[in-house]
Amino acid sequence: MNSQAGASRLCCAYVLLVILHAFATAVTAQDAPDDDGVASTTVSMTPPEPLLLLNETELADLNQIGSGGSTEPVSFVSTSTVESTPSSSSSSSSSSSSSSSSSESSSSSTSTTTTTPVVAPLENKTMSQEEIQKLLLPPATVEADILHVNISDDNHPHAKANGKDSDCPTLEGADHMSQTQLLTRLTHVCRYDRLERPRESLNGKSRPVKVFARAYIYFMQNLEAHDLQFKIHALLQFRYVDPRLVFREVAPNRTKPIMGEQSLRDLLWVPHVFLANERSSDILGTAEKDILTSISPDGTVIVSTRISATLYCWMNLQKFPFDEQHCSTVLESWMYNLDDLVLLWEHKSPVTLAPELHLTEYVLLEMFTNETIINADLSDLRHGAFAGNYSSLSFTVHLAREMGFYMMDYFIPSIMLVAISWVTFWLQADQSAPRITLGTSTMLTFITLASAQGKTLPKVSYIKASEIWFLGCTGFIFGSLVEFAFVNTIWRRKRNVEVKKVNSKHVLKQALTPRPARKDMSGLHKSHSCTSLADSATTVSANSFNNYLTVHSFPQKSNSSQTLPVITTTDVDRSPSDAQSNGNVAIQIDSQTDSGTTNGNGWTTMTPQEVAIWIDKRSRFAFPIAFVIFNVFYWTFVYYI
């Protein structure tokens, strides 16, 4: 009985040790995964070696248990060697508290050897892990415990394979999805990156994205010449194909495009196109910005934007106000050069003007589009610090200025002012006050008119057509003032002049350089000046310097008789009656005419008053004729040159 009880206790101890050993092996194998990421445990059975001596009865009982009746005592050492590393997994701390001491002793070192006296069958073989587990515990319980121990969140990358974070949402059943659901799945990060442009390849070579543009002009403001700018309201539309957004195959029943506004645009890659000659711009809209985005089933994306832009127009004002201007709107790619993006105009109606569009100061002659390539380098930082060739689009309007406003407010009034300045030619040369007043008032009025018109123009270095007109009109008005000063000076002269012929050449020559009258040596040829003819001894009065006597020789009317000149006396400052009462006289010839007197030598004598009147008469025709000639040359220049 004692021997049987000892054998039973020995068997129980053996079973308990084997269970503890298997548990420690499983925990240690968890921390040392193999190449497949699954922890493995290898239990090797070494050949039996005698460890201790038992009595004959105990050996017999053990042999019967281990070998089924064999009486040969066998004892061997079971050794399991497990390579393990320190583990930080939380699963190792979940072992039961009843076996914690045995577990610590089996996993505290890198290599642990456990020696246990057991009784095994006489056959020398290696037992597998499955055979040991089947011998110890039911298979279902053991497999469940091992599965719980081996699963770790840190060591298994597929532990979250069914999670939402790492999943790429499927496009199955896209026909039954809402527009937002389909768009969310199309633009998911696993399929779409809005920072990258659409990729198209041909024969293994990447091709640039073709972006087609169209513009519709709602409104165009008149050109502001003083600021060299104009303002437009337009709809800009860009069309391109993005293969990543094709949903025709996954949703064959969806034939209508996906429509959205700015929120949809923010989800997509959109080409960055800017206005190269922009001064300021803004997207129109009241509550929301006027942005329309459309995605077709074949991946065609259309982005439409209503904008208000103030653009520079470098005007040429040499023929102002008869000028014609070419103002362009230039679109260029900002980020991508010609290798990545190409801008093209739509083949049909690239630029359209609103039917109700009307300009007040200009008339639209023509409009044309252009596609160019802009070369940017380090000296041209229009594209930041990036050098290369960039695609560019432009549409240009050819405008001609309307002349109605300037004709009515500038040219016709200036012509009238010049004509008014000629009125002075009909006034007598000694009427200084009216002639000076008329000349200066016309001059000041014209300068005020020209300055008001010039305030709307920029200060340019070259001469404009309006300035030529201003200088011409000012010259004619100033000429009328100079003519008055000239004739008034001649009018106040006291000496007659003799001219060989009464024409412009000789009269002006004698008026500019007067000479005394030529003497005729036959007959009365001397000129005398005196204060009185009554008595040569008469005392000269105090005001005798205002009286003069001029005696000219007259040609003889006939060969038979000579007639002396008839002399009358007149006071230049007083009436004839007053002059006689004072005794101061002036002698002048009564036979003078308005056209002068011709002497025997063929010279004509003209008084200063006659010369002044003669110049005024000629100016009445010379000034208008010169002004007409100036107008002929001026209007020919502005319209035909």
Side-chain angles (χ1 to χ4, degrees), residues 17 25 70 142 186 207 209 219 225 330 359 405 511 528 536 604 641:
L17 290 175
T25 303
S70 177
V142 174
L186 286 175
R207 301 175 58 187
V209 180
F219 166 78
V330 183
L359 299 176
F405 170 78
H528 307 278
S536 60
T604 302
I641 297 179

Side-chain angles (χ1 to χ4, degrees), residues 269-311:
W269 176 90
V270 178
H272 188 170
V273 179
F274 73 102
L275 296 169
N277 59 331
E278 168 192 358
R279 178 177 181 178
S280 62
S281 65
D282 193 13
I283 300 177
L284 299 177
T286 52
E288 295 183 2
K289 299 297 184 180
D290 295 341
I291 299 176
L292 178 63
T293 308
S294 171
I295 304 176
S296 300
D298 59 350
T300 300
V301 181
I302 300 177
V303 180
S304 303
T305 308
R306 292 181 67 242
I307 66 169
S308 170
T310 301
L311 307 174

Side-chain angles (χ1 to χ4, degrees), residues 5 22 69 103 125 163 206 229 347 353-354 433 497 545 562 580 607 616:
S103 175
K125 66 177 182 178
S206 178
Q229 65 184 18
H347 299 292
L353 297 178
V497 294
F545 61 89
Q562 293 182 351
Q580 292 177 0
T607 63
D616 276 341

Side-chain angles (χ1 to χ4, degrees), residues 415-432:
I415 292 175
M416 296 176 65
L417 289 174
V418 173
I420 290 174
S421 68
W422 301 335
V423 176
T424 60
F425 302 147
W426 276 263
L427 299 178
Q428 196 167 339
D430 61 343
Q431 297 179 359
S432 302

Side-chain angles (χ1 to χ4, degrees), residues 357-601:
L357 179 62
H358 177 69
L359 299 176
T360 57
E361 189 177 349
Y362 292 88
V363 58
L364 179 62
L365 299 181
E366 61 177 340
M367 180 178 60
F368 53 90
T369 60
N370 190 23
E371 299 175 357
T372 58
I373 298 175
I374 303 298
N375 180 265
D377 52 18
L378 296 180
S379 61
D380 182 7
L381 299 180
R382 62 193 302 167
H383 294 276
F386 298 98
N389 297 324
Y390 291 83
S391 182
S392 175
L393 300 177
S394 65
F395 67 90
T396 305
V397 290
H398 183 194
L399 303 174
R401 195 183 301 271
E402 294 280 5
M403 280 298 302
F405 170 78
Y406 294 95
M407 289 296 296
M408 298 301 297
D409 284 22
Y410 181 61
F411 287 99
I412 293 179
S414 60
I415 292 175
M416 296 176 65
L417 289 174
V418 173
I420 290 174
S421 68
W422 301 335
V423 176
T424 60
F425 302 147
W426 276 263
L427 299 178
Q428 196 167 339
D430 61 343
Q431 297 179 359
S432 302
R435 295 191 70 162
I436 291 176
T437 302
L438 185 60
T440 55
S441 62
T442 53
M443 173 67 77
L444 295 177
T445 304
F446 178 72
I447 292 176
T448 303
L449 177 66
S451 62
Q453 181 268 338
K455 289 181 179 179
T456 60
L457 299 177
K459 297 177 177 60
V460 295
S461 59
Y462 49 83
I463 298 178
K464 302 183 288 292
S466 60
E467 295 174 344
I468 296 177
W469 177 264
F470 170 78
L471 293 176
C473 294
T474 303
F476 280 98
I477 297 175
F478 182 75
S480 66
L481 288 173
V482 173
E483 191 272 346
F484 160 70
F486 181 63
V487 298
N488 184 262
T489 302
I490 295 176
W491 182 277
R492 290 183 291 107
R493 288 179 181 173
K494 299 183 181 298
R495 182 175 295 178
N496 295 344
V497 294
E498 290 184 358
V499 293
K500 188 175 182 180
K501 293 181 180 180
V502 182
N503 55 25
S504 302
K505 176 181 177 180
H506 294 87
V507 171
L508 293 177
K509 182 179 180 180
Q510 292 298 325
L512 293 174
T513 57
R515 293 184 300 174
R518 304 178 68 87
K519 281 79 175 177
D520 188 359
M521 299 305 297
S522 61
L524 186 63
H525 60 276
K526 293 183 179 181
S527 297
H528 307 278
S529 296
C530 62
T531 59
S532 176
L533 294 178
D535 189 359
S536 60
T538 304
T539 304
V540 180
S541 62
N543 57 353
S544 60
F545 61 89
N546 289 328
N547 303 323
Y548 60 89
L549 173 65
T550 304
V551 180
H552 297 279
S553 59
F554 283 78
Q556 296 180 354
K557 295 183 179 180
S558 61
N559 297 328
S560 59
S561 63
Q562 293 182 351
T563 57
L564 296 176
V566 179
I567 300 174
T568 59
T569 61
T570 307
D571 192 339
V572 296
D573 295 332
R574 295 179 176 85
S575 63
S577 60
D578 294 338
Q580 292 177 0
S581 61
N582 293 330
N584 299 325
V585 295
I587 301 175
Q588 63 180 16
I589 307 300
D590 289 338
S591 59
Q592 288 182 347
T593 61
D594 293 340
S595 59
T597 304
T598 304
N599 56 25
N601 297 328

Side-chain angles (χ1 to χ4, degrees), residues 616-631:
D616 276 341
K617 288 182 178 180
R618 298 304 184 272
S619 299
R620 297 170 189 173
F621 299 96
F623 273 74
I625 292 174
F627 189 68
V628 170
I629 295 175
F630 167 75
N631 275 267

Side-chain angles (χ1 to χ4, degrees), residues 18-30 41 82 102-107:
V18 171
I19 292 174
L20 293 176
H21 173 69
F23 181 79
T25 303
V27 172
T28 306
Q30 176 187 356
T41 303
V82 180
S102 299
S103 175
E104 292 174 357
S105 63
S106 63
S107 61

